């Protein structure tokens, strides 16, 4: 994690990381003002807080109340050497906790991350650099031997060269990658989380049987998502980008809707129109680009090559963003390698959907077949030894598709997790199923898995597949666990041979789609210096329902973005109009404004936690519509999960509205005790909100220029690096 420090007045310092700011000072005896803890105080507190976190985690997973558990830490300083200290952590436990849980709580503290890092003895590297934003590769920590050449199935170059090429490309773009975490909780299963140190919203996870393969996976996914603009999907890219020569890619085209908002004839083709506009309800306005919001420019459309005949078809960027999410994107050492990954991913998710929604029972993989892959067996045994039964299934549906499944059961909670993996190689597909299962997860994380159900509707409803797509945490049918399989086991093999194996495998996978009567469309993105592609298979590889183009399109942001960002400048008529749109566009009251308008607010601010309901409430207050404001305040207090500070503000607002709207009560009679209960500052804000002198309390003013929105500006900065590189690539 990158922590940037600013020097403030006197001895005060400011550390910034993620969405947090920490102020440090020195005690008065050391010439400070004593206005904040000192750096060493934060260090001491970190180990105590970390220990308490693991106690809390242990108790939560076993439903043990923590109200009467107390924890303290004292540091005992050696009089001969003040840097040699003993950290004594003591825990006071209630009498009704069992001996087993007492020992478990103490053992949980041993897992404290701060403690383990200190005991390991971190290394400190102190150096001068020309720019803090440079030297992207320096944070990767894993630097394979340049002379080594480790080949794995599916990769056209050794892992060492793959890592060097990808990390070098990111460094050249000015993107400073840091590894936020590593996990290796069972043998031969590694995962890591990497992110942009400047824009941590841009992150990926990697997985593999080794550290190197996991890092190559993470870097590949990062470049894949850069190349396909996935990190920035759904977000507003700012007015500069919206009005630039191109918004997404230099080869994009913009088409104006026809008469009566008809679809331009230049977009899509007969095959895809039959899928995306079957009832002739799709209009041009549905396809306006969300990221630019530039409706006057028309419909931003991206070229894809139809694989059946090589013709170019233009797909609206809006359609791609709304329906496909990240499905069918990949980067590789070669185009064929990227194609195989794309197509494997498409089959994995489509077949998974067919199996889960059809409640299909898969055949077990025989033990003699599993025994051919001892590294995978060792990982499975590691899970079994931790008390998690594992089922290994053939998901090829009788040898039709290159898909495998590893399903984990958690007897402690009754939850299950069905993880799928795909690749032309049986071994690689099986390994991916296992590594996907534990990507970024701890053993504690396996306690959050949903329980299976016999209720078919819970399995087949569209949002369940979205949950499976995001992190495989959706619901699975109990029928999936029947001993009577719907298909015979097949030890399938779709892999190619020799130096052109990926080329052969890509042809095989495209061939399966063709045999199914599916059209595939591909775009290749190599302007950033790496080979990446995106493959669309209409009617097969979508993640979200096609109806979302009409009923839940992300470009509904355009109805609200401008006015919400300019909220403080709106007059009463404009506020009434905004309120009317919020009421009449079938929005979920508890959905967040950040997602609605595509802005990355700091999560720790009122903007970052603002919901549609709270915004409507604040508008009613600004318009002095107190009865409506009271109704929404009570709804907020009953259902909304917000910060303690915000909750207290609305508690105070509720009682002030109660008094104000009651003809028999006078606020003057209650104000003194309201102030004693809620504090003067909060009451000033509440009374001001009711009488109209305070508008939109807690929301700092901004505009379409995005001033003050540092987190979102960092996201745009990240995108502008790609924009510049694409412009250069076009001009060369």
């Amino acid at each position: 994690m990158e922590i940037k420090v600013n020097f403030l007045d006197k001895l005060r310092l400011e550390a910034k990381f993620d969405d947090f700011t920490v102020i440090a000072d020195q005690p008065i005896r050391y010439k400070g003002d004593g206005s904040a803890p000192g750096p060493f105080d934060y260090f001491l507190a970190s180990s105590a807080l970390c220990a308490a976190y693991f106690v809390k985690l242990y108790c939560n997973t076993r439903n043990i109340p923590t109200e009467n558990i107390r924890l303290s830490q004292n540091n005992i300083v050696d009089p001969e050497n003040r840097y040699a200290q003993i950290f004594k952590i003591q825990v006071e436990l209630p009498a009704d906790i069992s001996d087993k849980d007492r020992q478990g709580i103490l053992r949980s503290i041993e897992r404290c991350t701060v403690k383990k890092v200190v005991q390991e003895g971190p290394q400190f590297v102190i150096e001068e650099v020309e720019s803090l934003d440079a030297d992207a590769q320096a944070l990767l920590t894993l630097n394979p031997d340049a002379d080594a050449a480790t080949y794995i199935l599916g990769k056209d170059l050794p892992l060492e060269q793959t890592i060097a090429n990808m990390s070098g490309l990111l460094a050249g773009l000015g993107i400073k990658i840091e590894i936020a975490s590593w996990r290796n909780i069972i043998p031969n299963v590694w995962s890591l989380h990497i992110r942009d140190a400047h824009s941590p919203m841009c992150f990926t996870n990697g997985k593999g049987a080794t550290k190197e393969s996991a890092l190559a996976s993470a870097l590949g996914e990062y470049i894949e998502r850069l190349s396909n603009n996935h990190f920035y999907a759904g977000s507003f890219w700012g007015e500069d980008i919206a009005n630039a020569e191109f918004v997404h890619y230099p080869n994009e085209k913009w088409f104006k809707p026809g008469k009566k908002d008809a679809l331009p004839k230049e977009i899509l083709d007969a095959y895809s129109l039959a899928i995306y506009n079957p009832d002739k309800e799709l209009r041009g306005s549905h396809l306006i680009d969300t990221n630019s919001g530039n409706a006057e420019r028309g419909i931003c459309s991206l070229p894809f090559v139809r694989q059946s005949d090589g013709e170019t078809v233009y797909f609206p960027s809006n359609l791609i963003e709304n329906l496909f999410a990240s499905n069918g994107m990949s980067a590789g050492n070669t185009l064929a390698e990227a194609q195989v990954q794309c197509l494997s991913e498409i089959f994995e998710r489509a077949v998974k959907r067919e199996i889960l929604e059809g409640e299909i029972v898969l055949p077990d993989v025989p033990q003699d077949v599993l025994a051919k892959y001892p590294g995978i067996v060792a990982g499975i045994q590691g899970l079994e030894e931790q008390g998690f039964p594992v089922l290994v299934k053939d998901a090829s549906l009788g040898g039709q598709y290159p898909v495998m499944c590893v399903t984990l059961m958690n007897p402690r909670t009754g939850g299950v997790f069905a993880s799928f993996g795909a690749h032309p190689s049986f071994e690689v597909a099986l390994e991916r199923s296992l590594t996907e299962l534990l990507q970024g997860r701890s053993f504690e994380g396996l306690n959050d898995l949903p329980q299976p159900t016999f209720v078919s509707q819970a399995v087949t409803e569209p949002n369940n597949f979205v949950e499976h797509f995001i992190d495989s945490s959706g619901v699975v049918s109990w029928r999936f666990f029947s001993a009577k399989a719907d298909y015979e086991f097949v030890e399938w093999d779709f892999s190619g041979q020799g130096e052109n194996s990926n080329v052969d495998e890509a042809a095989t996978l495209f061939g399966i789609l063709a045999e199914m009567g599916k059209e595939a469309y591909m775009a290749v993105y190599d302007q950033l210096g790496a080979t990446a592609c995106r493959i669309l298979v209409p009617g097969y590889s979508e993640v979200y329902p096609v109806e979302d183009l009409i009923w839940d399109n992300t470009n509904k942001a355009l109805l609200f973005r401008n006015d919400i960002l300019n909220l403080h400048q709106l007059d009463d008529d404009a506020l009434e109009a905004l309120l009317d749109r919020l009421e009449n566009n079938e929005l979920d009251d508890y959905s967040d404004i950040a997602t609605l308008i595509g802005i990355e607010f700091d999560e720790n601010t009122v903007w970052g936690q603002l919901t549609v309901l709270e915004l409507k409430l604040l508008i009613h207050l600004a318009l002095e519509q107190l009865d409506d404001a009271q109704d929404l305040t009570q709804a907020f207090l009953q259902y909304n999960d917000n910060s303690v500070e915000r909750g207290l503000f609305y508690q105070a607002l509720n009682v002030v509205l109660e008094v104000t709207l009651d003809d028999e009560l006078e606020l003057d009679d209650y104000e003194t005790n309201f102030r004693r209960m809620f504090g003067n500052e909060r009451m000033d804000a509440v009374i001001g909100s009711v009488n109209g002198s305070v508008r939109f309390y807690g929301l700092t003013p901004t505009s379409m220029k995005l001033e003050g929105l540092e987190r979102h500006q960092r996201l745009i900065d990240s995108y502008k690096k790609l924009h510049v590189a694409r412009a250069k690539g076009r001009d060369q």
Side-chain angles (χ1 to χ4, degrees), residues 422-481:
H423 189 268
S425 161
F426 185 99
E427 178 182 2
V428 174
L430 180 54
E431 180 186 287
R432 286 182 176 176
S433 299
L434 180 61
T435 55
E436 175 70 26
L437 182 74
L438 293 175
Q439 180 172 277
R441 284 184 170 86
S442 62
F443 287 128
E444 288 81 10
L446 298 174
N447 291 321
D448 298 328
L449 305 178
Q451 298 174 3
T453 180
F454 277 113
V455 180
S456 296
Q457 185 178 356
V459 178
T460 58
E461 67 99 8
N463 193 58
N464 187 49
F465 176 67
V466 174
E467 292 296 322
H468 276 288
F469 171 80
I470 293 171
D471 62 3
S472 297
S473 64
V475 178
V476 177
S477 171
W478 266 121
R479 293 177 176 84
F480 179 81
F481 295 93

Side-chain angles (χ1 to χ4, degrees), residues 158-421:
L159 286 176
E160 294 79 7
Q161 189 174 346
T162 301
I163 292 169
N165 290 347
M166 290 180 172
S167 56
L169 181 150
L170 292 170
L173 289 170
I175 294 172
K176 190 175 184 178
I177 293 293
E178 62 181 9
I179 296 177
S181 66
W182 281 101
R183 289 193 184 275
N184 172 223
I185 61 175
I186 61 172
N188 308 317
V189 176
W190 287 84
S191 68
L192 76 158
H193 178 86
I194 66 172
R195 62 187 187 182
D196 184 338
H198 178 67
S199 178
M201 301 82 76
C202 302
F203 66 86
T204 58
N205 300 299
K207 60 185 183 293
T210 65
K211 296 190 295 293
E212 291 78 11
S213 60
L215 178 55
S217 166
L219 291 170
E221 185 173 285
Y222 199 97
I223 291 171
E224 152 203 316
R225 298 190 173 203
L226 283 181
S227 299
N228 287 276
N229 291 341
H230 180 70
F231 289 136
Y232 319 98
S235 297
F236 177 45
W237 295 351
E239 294 177 329
D240 290 345
I241 296 291
N243 295 297
E245 186 178 352
F246 67 90
V247 172
H248 292 258
Y249 302 99
N251 62 355
E252 68 193 24
K253 289 188 178 181
W254 295 72
F255 303 110
K256 293 289 185 72
K259 293 181 180 179
K260 297 182 180 180
D261 202 20
L263 298 181
K265 65 181 184 304
E266 298 92 344
I267 64 171
L268 305 174
D269 59 6
Y271 179 87
S272 54
L273 279 169
I275 293 168
Y276 299 128
N277 193 23
D279 301 319
K280 312 301 181 186
E281 294 180 337
L282 189 64
R283 316 310 300 164
S285 56
H286 290 132
L287 300 175
I288 298 299
D289 178 55
T290 306
N291 308 115
S292 69
N294 199 334
E296 293 182 2
R297 203 167 177 177
I299 298 170
C300 182
S301 302
L302 309 178
F304 282 74
V305 175
R306 190 167 56 208
Q307 296 302 290
S308 61
D309 59 7
E311 290 295 315
T312 297
V313 178
Y314 281 87
F315 281 77
S317 62
N318 171 285
L319 181 149
I320 297 168
E321 176 191 294
N322 271 280
L323 300 184
F324 291 93
S326 65
N327 199 22
M329 305 184 326
S330 186
N333 292 299
T334 63
L335 177 58
E337 182 184 309
Q339 288 175 320
V340 170
Q341 176 59 26
C342 271
L343 293 164
S344 296
E345 186 177 81
I346 287 169
F347 281 117
E348 172 197 322
R349 287 156 179 173
V351 172
K352 176 180 184 177
R353 184 175 204 155
E354 182 178 349
I355 290 167
L356 294 175
E357 293 184 353
E359 299 176 288
I360 295 171
V361 184
L362 301 177
D364 292 321
V365 177
Q367 288 300 316
D368 62 322
V369 174
L370 274 181
K372 298 177 182 179
Y373 313 109
I376 295 172
V377 170
I380 293 169
Q381 289 176 342
L383 285 170
E384 297 268 6
E385 289 166 3
Q386 291 292 328
F388 299 105
V390 175
L391 308 176
V392 183
K393 302 279 189 178
D394 167 24
S396 69
L397 302 185
Q400 297 180 77
Y401 308 106
V403 186
M404 296 296 293
C405 174
V406 174
T407 300
L408 176 142
M409 308 169 75
N410 188 344
R412 300 184 186 93
T413 63
V416 300
F417 182 5
S419 175
F420 289 72

Side-chain angles (χ1 to χ4, degrees), residues 544-613:
Y544 293 96
V546 170
E547 305 84 64
D548 280 5
L549 288 174
I550 296 173
W551 302 112
D552 194 22
N553 196 303
T554 58
N555 74 5
K556 64 179 177 287
L558 309 188
L559 292 171
F560 306 104
R561 182 186 290 156
N562 195 310
D563 280 351
I564 290 176
L565 289 176
N566 289 296
L567 190 64
H568 294 78
Q569 285 77 50
L570 301 184
D571 60 22
D572 285 357
D573 289 342
L575 285 174
E576 286 279 13
L578 173 58
L579 187 60
D580 184 66
R581 294 197 300 278
L582 289 168
E583 293 281 8
N584 295 304
N585 277 278
E586 299 184 355
L587 302 177
D588 179 354
D589 270 351
Y590 298 98
S591 61
D592 60 273
I593 293 297
T595 300
L596 175 65
I597 65 174
I599 298 294
E600 286 283 348
F601 294 111
D602 182 335
E603 295 175 356
N604 302 307
T605 64
V606 177
W607 275 116
Q609 300 181 41
L610 186 68
T611 61
V612 170
L613 183 149

